[in-house]
Amino acid sequence: MNPRADPADDFLLQQPWLPVCIDSCQLLVKSWFGDAEYHILLTDMQGVWEERMDAAAIERRAQELNRRLRAAVQAFFSHLREAAEPWLSGGGSGEAQMCVWRRDGAVTLKLKSELAGLPFHWEFHCGPAPVSLVCAQLVRPLLAMSRLMHRQVEELGELLARKDEEIQDYRENGATLSRERLQTDVFNKQLYTEDFIQKNLPVLRSDQSHALGFNTDLQQLYAAVTAHCPTPHKRRRPQENHGDPDWTEPGPPEPEPPAQTTVIGPDGGDPENQNPGTPVGPGGAAQVRAPAVGATRPAERQSSKLKKKKVGLFR
Amino acid sequence: MNPRADPADDFLLQQPWLPVCIDSCQLLVKSWFGDAEYHILLTDMQGVWEERMDAAAIERRAQELNRRLRAAVQAFFSHLREAAEPWLSGGGSGEAQMCVWRRDGAVTLKLKSELAGLPFHWEFHCGPAPVSLVCAQLVRPLLAMSRLMHRQVEELGELLARKDEEIQDYRENGATLSRERLQTDVFNKQLYTEDFIQKNLPVLRSDQSHALGFNTDLQQLYAAVTAHCPTPHKRRRPQENHGDPDWTEPGPPEPEPPAQTTVIGPDGGDPENQNPGTPVGPGGAAQVRAPAVGATRPAERQSSKLKKKKVGLFR
């Protein structure tokens, strides 16, 4: 276990990259939502971007983007999470709208939904990820997958050769087939592989669109090779400059017209309609029961999906 | 063909990563030597580094590092190339010594050899590569390899099922084996794959040392998937800051004691012993016949090696 490893990094490492299409932009996404903090990773296979935010940073941005709303960070966060997760887990849009902005080497996911009858805005400001993260989350797992499948191809070739020996023995002892169509050719690994590469390389190149090539089986193999492999990627503080000259924090949003602020309850509704049992914190902002640290609903969905679909990989 | 692509990038993209052990440090290396310019890439699978140098930059550094030597850049370059290529192509050290220095997120390969009886020093100052290069040179090719081998595993599983149908038919018609040991079990893809993953994942993890897992077959598959795939990576000027805060140009070397300078001939020998036909340029520095633009001896060696060994991938 790497002492520098961040639980969110390890959690994310063991999640497969989910193909997501936002605003007709194909991306692979990993997301982790903790207790009023999150970490998301995006790639289009040309670049890799990330954002890590803690409670304080989320509260600041929520206030900047939603001047007319006042709420405890947990209220913003739980609404943000509900609105963003369907998008980030590739499960469709739900109620919220999301669009992608690329500027100065950064990728911003702009989310718009409704909270207590008022528009709720969020922006995921994803800056270029460091190469160490790209190595941990993509390069090393993909090489491990390649090595594993290469061994498998070798082993299956040997199995085919043994089947051919068995078939050869039956034939030499005069056995015949009741149905001619069942007869197979002797497996010649060299000829087969040359033919396979020739036939499949062009298909591979022409078929880059769907899920950026990261299909369900590969996602599951990815999860298998990354299980119990903590990443050495060091955690940076939220909103820290990503060490890339063309990564600039996007400017503040246009100020909204001044208006009466609205206090949002824990479920994002009007406090008048809150369960009277809900404790109310300072400033009248209702306090919500914060989700358990490291709670990861979409991820759990994904994991259970993986468990259920395990047979998919092993079919 | 990507208009922004650099010929060196495309050339390097289509070269496999060569496992190199320098100073007991395991690296994967790609190198391109042109006409008094070079571009090298290094990775240890935790980080990726590169250096691009043109003639002017090479001449400056050659003079800084070898105060007592005076020579045309081609003379320095051809000696540098002869001394460095055995190391960078994994073919052993030759006469020169090389060691690895890591500092401030950069990797410096220090080369020491002898030129006309005097010590010749060179330093490859490799700074962090941009993520776009990591995606082009590692992420996309590795994903393509995974997709290709995944298809192959599927196809081989289907072939095995067809062999089993044929065997089943022989058996149902009363055929028997002359040698019991030839009998194979019916191929059950799900059980086989579960068993394969369980057996091979631990082996995979324990066997990271050799060639960082990039064996000859995978190198050849890499070359196959990257053929005719120009990288969109944009060329930067040599010695340009790599946009990483912890990439700092290593400081100048300790000055050597002043001494009589030595003019080196084109073959790195004493000009007195030069072929009198060799044209002599300004400043008395002998001019050498520069190698053809894009000349890539090690790469050619590698390519021909690959052609010869093609049967390795397709065995």
Side-chain angles (χ1 to χ4, degrees):
Chain A
M1 186 74 184
N2 186 316
R4 300 179 314 161
D6 170 3
D9 290 331
D10 293 341
F11 176 84
L12 282 174
L13 179 61
Q14 290 169 40
Q15 295 306 304
W17 287 91
L18 299 178
V20 166
C21 186
I22 302 170
D23 211 5
S24 71
C25 173
Q26 287 271 351
L27 296 167
L28 294 175
V29 176
K30 290 190 179 200
S31 60
W32 173 81
F33 285 82
D35 177 19
E37 61 181 334
Y38 67 74
H39 183 187
I40 70 172
L41 307 178
L42 310 175
T43 179
D44 61 1
M45 291 285 159
Q46 307 282 335
V48 184
W49 302 271
E50 70 166 343
E51 184 179 48
R52 300 164 190 254
M53 292 281 275
D54 62 12
I58 289 169
E59 188 159 35
R60 272 196 304 279
R61 187 177 298 168
Q63 292 298 344
E64 284 168 12
L65 296 174
N66 302 280
R67 303 260 163 97
R68 294 166 60 189
L69 296 176
R70 288 280 174 277
V73 64
Q74 287 87 348
F76 277 127
F77 185 75
S78 65
H79 179 75
L80 165 64
R81 183 174 182 163
E82 272 161 27
E85 278 183 346
W87 281 104
L88 300 180
S89 58
S93 70
E95 289 305 302
Q97 299 163 41
M98 195 178 263
C99 64
V100 181
W101 261 43
R102 290 170 178 258
R103 191 173 61 179
D104 303 328
V107 173
T108 299
L109 302 182
K110 296 194 171 193
L111 180 87
K112 185 180 180 184
S113 72
E114 212 176 69
L115 180 51
L118 288 172
F120 172 80
H121 298 273
W122 187 258
E123 294 178 358
F124 295 92
H125 298 167
C126 301
V131 167
S132 58
L133 182 145
V134 179
C135 287
Q137 295 280 353
L138 284 162
V139 175
R140 294 200 298 276
L142 284 168
L143 180 58
M145 288 161 66
S146 296
R147 294 174 65 201
L148 204 60
M149 284 189 287
H150 175 257
R151 278 174 193 255
Q152 205 171 1
V153 166
E154 295 289 304
E155 209 173 274
L156 293 173
E158 288 155 17
L159 277 178
L160 279 160
R162 287 179 45 218
K163 296 277 177 197
D164 280 329
E165 280 182 24
E166 182 175 0
I167 290 168
Q168 177 75 1
D169 191 74
Y170 287 125
R171 288 183 184 159
E172 283 170 1
N173 294 319
T176 54
L177 287 166
S178 60
R179 286 163 295 172
E180 202 51 44
R181 65 167 183 79
L182 292 180
Q183 185 159 343
T184 60
D185 300 327
V186 173
F187 179 72
N188 177 317
K189 192 186 171 202
Q190 179 175 343
L191 295 179
Y192 164 78
T193 312
E194 284 168 350
D195 181 64
F196 177 85
I197 299 277
Q198 274 173 16
K199 281 187 185 145
N200 287 274
L201 262 185
V203 182
L204 188 82
R205 295 205 180 103
S206 62
D207 172 34
Q208 293 291 338
S209 57
H210 174 61
L212 296 171
F214 224 117
N215 69 21
T216 317
D217 284 357
L218 289 181
Q219 287 171 36
Q220 292 172 41
L221 187 57
Y222 178 100
V225 299
T226 53
H228 321 303
C229 287
T231 163
H233 176 60
K234 218 176 194 169
R235 184 171 199 174
R236 280 193 314 285
R237 300 316 319 150
Q239 290 186 314
E240 182 182 326
N241 182 296
H242 291 253
D244 192 292
D246 58 12
W247 160 238
T248 57
E249 191 75 21
E254 287 85 50
E256 292 172 19
Q260 185 199 335
T261 65
T262 307
V263 177
I264 306 303
D267 64 356
D270 189 320
E272 275 68 21
N273 311 333
Q274 295 307 320
N275 170 345
T278 307
V280 174
Q287 297 173 324
V288 271
R289 291 169 300 283
V293 175
T296 51
R297 274 172 293 169
E300 282 154 9
R301 271 206 304 278
Q302 180 56 26
S303 320
S304 56
K305 214 187 294 168
L306 283 181
K307 280 195 198 73
K308 276 192 226 87
K309 293 193 68 180
K310 201 163 187 185
V311 69
L313 168 61
F314 300 148
R315 79 169 166 269
Chain B
M1 186 72 183
N2 186 316
R4 299 179 313 162
D6 170 2
D9 290 331
D10 293 342
F11 176 84
L12 281 174
L13 179 61
Q14 291 170 39
Q15 295 307 303
W17 287 92
L18 298 178
V20 166
C21 186
I22 302 170
D23 211 5
S24 72
C25 173
Q26 287 272 349
L27 296 167
L28 295 175
V29 176
K30 289 189 180 202
S31 60
W32 172 82
F33 285 82
D35 176 19
E37 60 182 334
Y38 67 75
H39 184 186
I40 70 172
L41 307 179
L42 310 176
T43 180
D44 61 0
M45 291 287 159
Q46 308 282 334
V48 185
W49 302 269
E50 71 165 343
E51 185 179 49
R52 300 163 190 255
M53 292 280 276
D54 63 12
I58 289 169
E59 187 159 34
R60 271 197 305 278
R61 189 178 298 168
Q63 293 297 346
E64 284 167 13
L65 296 175
N66 303 280
R67 303 260 164 96
R68 293 166 59 188
L69 296 176
R70 289 279 175 277
V73 63
Q74 286 88 347
F76 278 128
F77 185 75
S78 64
H79 179 76
L80 165 63
R81 184 174 181 162
E82 274 162 26
E85 277 182 346
W87 281 104
L88 300 180
S89 58
S93 69
E95 290 305 301
Q97 299 163 41
M98 195 178 262
C99 65
V100 181
W101 262 43
R102 289 170 179 259
R103 190 173 62 181
D104 303 328
V107 174
T108 299
L109 301 182
K110 295 193 171 196
L111 180 87
K112 185 180 180 183
S113 73
E114 213 175 68
L115 181 50
L118 288 172
F120 173 80
H121 297 274
W122 186 259
E123 295 178 0
F124 295 94
H125 297 167
C126 301
V131 166
S132 58
L133 182 144
V134 179
C135 287
Q137 295 280 352
L138 284 162
V139 175
R140 294 199 298 274
L142 284 168
L143 180 57
M145 289 161 66
S146 296
R147 293 174 65 201
L148 205 60
M149 285 189 286
H150 175 257
R151 277 174 195 257
Q152 206 171 358
V153 165
E154 295 289 305
E155 210 173 273
L156 293 173
E158 287 155 18
L159 276 178
L160 279 160
R162 288 180 43 219
K163 296 278 178 196
D164 280 329
E165 281 183 23
E166 182 175 0
I167 288 167
Q168 175 77 2
D169 191 74
Y170 287 125
R171 288 183 184 159
E172 282 170 0
N173 294 318
T176 53
L177 288 166
S178 60
R179 286 162 295 172
E180 201 53 41
R181 63 166 184 78
L182 293 179
Q183 184 159 345
T184 60
D185 300 328
V186 172
F187 178 73
N188 177 319
K189 193 188 171 202
Q190 177 175 343
L191 295 180
Y192 164 78
T193 311
E194 283 168 351
D195 181 62
F196 176 86
I197 299 277
Q198 273 172 15
K199 280 186 185 146
N200 287 275
L201 262 185
V203 181
L204 187 82
R205 297 204 179 105
S206 63
D207 171 35
Q208 293 291 337
S209 56
H210 174 61
L212 295 172
F214 223 118
N215 69 20
T216 316
D217 284 357
L218 289 180
Q219 287 171 36
Q220 292 173 41
L221 186 57
Y222 178 101
V225 299
T226 53
H228 320 304
C229 287
T231 163
H233 175 60
K234 220 175 191 168
R235 182 171 201 175
R236 280 192 317 284
R237 298 316 321 149
Q239 293 185 313
E240 181 181 327
N241 182 296
H242 290 252
D244 191 292
D246 59 12
W247 161 237
T248 57
E249 192 72 22
E254 287 85 48
E256 292 172 18
Q260 184 199 334
T261 65
T262 307
V263 178
I264 306 303
D267 64 357
D270 189 320
E272 275 68 20
N273 311 334
Q274 294 308 320
N275 171 346
T278 309
V280 173
Q287 298 173 323
V288 275
R289 291 169 300 283
V293 174
T296 52
R297 275 172 291 168
E300 281 152 12
R301 269 208 304 281
Q302 179 57 25
S303 319
S304 57
K305 212 186 296 167
L306 284 180
K307 281 194 198 72
K308 276 192 228 87
K309 293 192 66 179
K310 201 164 190 186
V311 69
L313 169 60
F314 299 147
R315 76 170 166 270

